[in-house]
């Protein structure tokens, strides 16, 4: 018997125990061990077989280290077939999480029981995959078409009670595993419950038909636009509905193998690993440990401050929200209440959960009330003078060892830190709006930020369910520094002759959540306009990159809030429509700046936007502003709507070929005569040396 799986007899039961810490992944050794144990149990006089796992969880899924490699036999489908074929009832006893292949393993058992805190799920879709060991064939037979599609296309984890109500598991256990599981198995034996194979069940008749499947396909093409795996899951369920079980299994396996070889799955797996890597900060003192954070102060109760307060309250961390006057504070607290109300209406939270979260946020207009907090985050107006004033005040009132954080999106964190007598306690925590929803958190390490402050910030980001990414200090850090190049191309493509809807369409067809001009209208064109007013002509740069936006603002077209910006907006539905008046503004500005307009094709528009991001990304890497290419990808996917199934700008560049990207940038430089299109030195160097970004990363260690 393998070291990872043991088989023993306890009275009339055969007990198989899996022990492959930390998550009992289904490695080759585990699969062989289970198969051997099931075979052995067929030959003895046990009356039923129980499968248990040691440690903190049941099998949490496949062994990801085996992805992309040929599977050594026995494969999981072979193990599952052997379990299902057992002549004695097999009972899976679930604790922790049974996910993906781990849950498919339990579906090949004849009965399933779980402790109340357990979760089950098939999250393969989040990695661009589909359940490949019978999940798409067995789940619809067990719980019907609709419930099965909901579960598999969302990838959500289902808690034990709900899993029992759905029919995914048979009993929620009381008392502790494994005793309760063995008692359940004894009940099954005493009750004469024989084997019950899901493969022999019929899909519940009223649970869905071809029309249901078509409705799902339509819904998924909107909700998971551009993604292949969700649609393939529907195809597999359709096969389950119309074909015998073994044909369905073969079809599912073929679809699964195709997914594992797809670019989309490679991209999503890249992000999965990048998220884990991002938490590891290089060159920190190994002894630095996180500071205790049990209460947080937030300055500014506007949209941003309120959203940040909710992010902490949602993680159970009490917040003191500070505003200059009572009016501002009341407005902020009312907005938070409204947001929680909306979540309750949508059924995402119960009224009692929402009110207990809201109760964690207390308002104040007095800086002295921040005396005992462990961390304070400033979320006030983006002005260096205002921020320095706030930090001087915090320096006076906050206790020694409190972390002082700024939520600035562009400003120099070193300069902000210098306004205090404790620059080692100052860090940037750049949240993205709406802060209670957006997952990205840029953690900005200033020149004097202490190592334990960085450790604390990264751990805290994870605790409040964000994706924390470390950035160095420069104008705009990682995300907004790249965004400037992207936004600039939108303005230049427009003045050169592309209409707003053509530009936005080229980018949403690529998979971006929104086009750059629609985003401008959503945020308000007056924001950039006001920011430019404070700059000199030299700082503003090329007038062609902002003259159209300025002209629209001066006409009173500020975007959605005034019903018109680059587009017109329906006052009732907010639906946007093309506006010929804007084309006239663009034509006049082109004439004024001596730009000869032409027809641009979508390929050029797309390349100019995406490669502007890529080229700036290479500069950011070379300067050490980002630790690794994957960090830049996380920033763009989680903060700026870059399609996750394309893996982020740096992954996209690697997939397209760094040599191809370099040639295309050189062609854009020749075509436009603009120096900024010249490939970043690091990109050129890698291409000249025939190296990949992975090679470069390995040389950084």
């Amino acid at each position: 018997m393998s070291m990872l799986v043991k088989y023993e007899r306890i009275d009339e039961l055969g007990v198989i125990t899996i022990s492959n810490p930390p998550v009992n992944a289904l490695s080759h050794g585990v699969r062989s061990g289970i198969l051997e144990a099931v075979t052995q149990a067929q030959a003895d006089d046990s009356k039923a077989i129980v499968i248990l796992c040691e440690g903190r969880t049941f099998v949490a899924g496949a062994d990801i280290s085996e992805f992309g490699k040929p599977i050594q036999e026995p494969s999981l489908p072979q193990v599952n077939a052997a379990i299902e074929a057992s002549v004695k009832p097999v009972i899976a006893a679930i604790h922790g999480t049974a996910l993906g292949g781990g849950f498919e393993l339990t579906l090949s058992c004849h009965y399933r029981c779980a402790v109340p805190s357990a979760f089950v799920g098939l999250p393969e879709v989040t990695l661009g995959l589909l359940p490949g060991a019978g999940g798409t064939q067995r789940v619809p037979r067990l719980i019907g078409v609709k419930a099965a599609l909901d579960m598999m296309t969302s990838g959500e984890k289902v808690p034990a009670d709900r899993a029992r109500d759905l029919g995914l598991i048979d009993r929620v256990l009381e008392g502790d595993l494994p005793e309760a599981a063995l008692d359940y198995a004894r009940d099954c034996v005493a009750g004469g419950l024989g084997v019950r194979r899901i493969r022999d069940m019929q899909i519940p008749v009223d649970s869905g038909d071809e029309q249901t499947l078509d409705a799902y396909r339509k819904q998924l093409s909107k909700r998971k636009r551009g993604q292949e795996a969700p649609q393939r899951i529907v195809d597999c369920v359709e096969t389950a509905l119309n074909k015998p079980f073994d044909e369905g299994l073969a079809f599912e396996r073929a679809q699964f193998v195709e997914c594992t070889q797809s670019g989309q799955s490679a991209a999503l797996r890249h992000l999965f690993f990048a998220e884990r890597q991002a938490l590891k900060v290089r060159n920190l003192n190994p002894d630095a440990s996180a500071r205790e954070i049990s209460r947080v102060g937030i300055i500014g109760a506007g949209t941003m401050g309120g959203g940040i307060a909710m992010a902490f309250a949602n993680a159970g961390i009490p917040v003191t929200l500070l505003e200059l006057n009572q009016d501002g504070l009341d407005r902020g607290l009312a907005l938070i209440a409204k947001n929680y109300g909306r979540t309750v209406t949508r059924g995402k939270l119960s009224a009692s959960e929402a009110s207990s979260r809201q109760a964690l946020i207390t308002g104040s207009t007095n800086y002295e009330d921040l005396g005992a907090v462990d961390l304070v985050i400033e979320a006030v107006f983006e002005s260096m003078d205002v921020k320095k004033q706030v930090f001087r005040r915090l320096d006076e009132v906050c206790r020694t060892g409190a972390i002082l954080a700024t939520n600035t999106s562009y400003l120099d964190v070193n300069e902000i830190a210098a306004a205090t007598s404790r620059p080692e306690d100052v860090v940037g925590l750049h949240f993205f709006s709406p802060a209670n929803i957006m997952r990205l958190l840029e953690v900005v390490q200033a020149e004097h930020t202490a190592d334990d402050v960085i450790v604390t910030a990264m751990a805290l980001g994870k605790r409040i369910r964000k994706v924390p990414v470390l950035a160095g200090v420069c104008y705009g850090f990682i995300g907004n520094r790249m965004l400037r190049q992207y936004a600039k191309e939108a303005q230049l493509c427009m003045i050169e002759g592309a209409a707003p809807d053509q530009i936005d369409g080229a980018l949403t067809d690529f998979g971006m959540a929104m086009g750059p001009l629609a985003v401008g209208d959503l945020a308000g064109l007056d924001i950039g306009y006001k920011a430019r007013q404070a700059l000199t002509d030299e700082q503003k740069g090329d007038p062609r990159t902002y003259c159209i936006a300025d002209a629209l603002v001066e006409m009173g077209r500020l975007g959605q809030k005034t019903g018109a910006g680059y587009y017109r907006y329906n006052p009732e539905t907010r639906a946007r429509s093309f506006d010929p008046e804007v084309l006239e503004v663009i034509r006049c500005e082109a004439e004024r700046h001596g730009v000869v307009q032409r027809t641009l094709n979508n390929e050029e528009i797309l390349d100019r936007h995406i490669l502007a991001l890529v080229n700036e990304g290479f500069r950011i890497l070379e300067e050490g502003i980002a630790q690794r290419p994957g960090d830049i990808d996380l920033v763009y996917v989680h903060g700026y709507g870059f399609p996750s199934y394309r893996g982020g700008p740096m992954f996209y560049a690697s997939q397209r070929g760094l040599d191809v990207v370099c040639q295309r940038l050189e062609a854009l430089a020749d075509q436009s005569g603009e120096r900024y299109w010249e490939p970043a030195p690091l990109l050129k160097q890698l291409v000249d040396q025939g190296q990949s970004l992975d090679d470069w990363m390995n040389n950084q260690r």
Side-chain angles (χ1 to χ4, degrees), residues 366-518:
N366 184 357
Y367 266 96
E368 305 293 333
D369 290 341
L370 300 177
V373 300
D374 305 305
L375 160 74
V376 64
I377 301 169
E378 158 280 308
V380 301
F381 183 63
E382 198 70 342
S383 136
M384 183 56 86
D385 291 341
V386 176
K387 291 196 189 281
K388 280 179 166 173
Q389 216 176 320
V390 168
F391 273 78
R392 282 191 203 101
R393 191 78 184 92
L394 291 176
D395 199 20
E396 292 165 10
V397 301
C398 289
R399 67 170 184 80
T400 308
I403 296 174
L404 312 182
T406 172
N407 176 55
T408 180
S409 8
Y410 290 99
L411 300 175
D412 184 343
V413 182
N414 289 321
E415 197 180 325
I416 293 171
T420 74
S421 63
R422 38 171 138 176
E424 67 283 356
D425 290 333
V426 177
V427 67
L429 290 180
H430 180 210
F431 287 82
F432 286 69
S433 189
N436 50 313
I437 293 166
M438 295 292 277
R439 292 191 65 213
L440 179 65
L441 174 64
E442 275 184 322
V443 175
V444 186
Q445 182 172 23
E447 200 181 333
H448 299 291
T449 310
D451 285 3
D452 66 340
V453 170
I454 295 298
V455 172
T456 310
M458 299 301 280
L460 188 64
K462 195 164 185 261
R463 186 173 155 199
I464 61 172
R465 298 187 193 88
K466 301 293 179 201
V467 176
V469 174
L470 191 77
V473 175
C474 65
Y475 186 78
F477 318 125
I478 297 171
N480 282 337
R481 172 170 161 181
M482 289 166 70
L483 184 68
R484 280 183 85 188
Q485 306 306 318
Y486 177 83
K488 177 171 80 179
E489 285 312 308
Q491 297 298 319
L492 290 172
C493 287
M494 198 160 43
I495 203 165
E496 287 169 34
D501 53 339
Q502 186 193 358
I503 295 168
D504 283 347
L507 286 148
T508 52
D509 286 351
F510 173 76
M512 294 297 287
M514 281 175 89
L517 301 167

Side-chain angles (χ1 to χ4, degrees), residues 10 78 88 120 148 151 221 235 239 260 291 324-325 390 524 527:
I10 298 178
Q78 287 168 328
K88 305 169 181 183
V120 300
M151 181 177 174
S221 64
D235 296 342
T239 309
T260 60
R291 299 183 189 181
L324 285 178
N325 55 45
V390 168
I527 294 177

Side-chain angles (χ1 to χ4, degrees), residues 589-624:
E589 290 300 323
E591 205 171 286
R592 192 159 72 88
H593 292 280
V595 178
V596 179
Q597 292 197 307
R598 62 190 175 90
T599 302
L600 280 73
N601 65 27
N602 286 359
E603 190 188 348
E604 180 188 339
I605 292 171
L606 183 62
D607 269 354
R608 283 173 61 173
H609 283 78
I610 303 299
L611 298 187
L613 290 177
V614 167
N615 208 21
E616 196 64 24
F618 273 97
R619 293 191 185 103
I620 284 172
L621 266 186
E622 190 167 12
E623 291 168 30

Side-chain angles (χ1 to χ4, degrees), residues 270-271 629-638 647-652:
H270 160 71
L271 291 169
D631 287 9
I632 294 174
D633 289 334
L634 289 174
V635 166
Y636 253 75
V637 167
H638 291 303
M650 308 310 281
F651 184 83
Y652 168 80

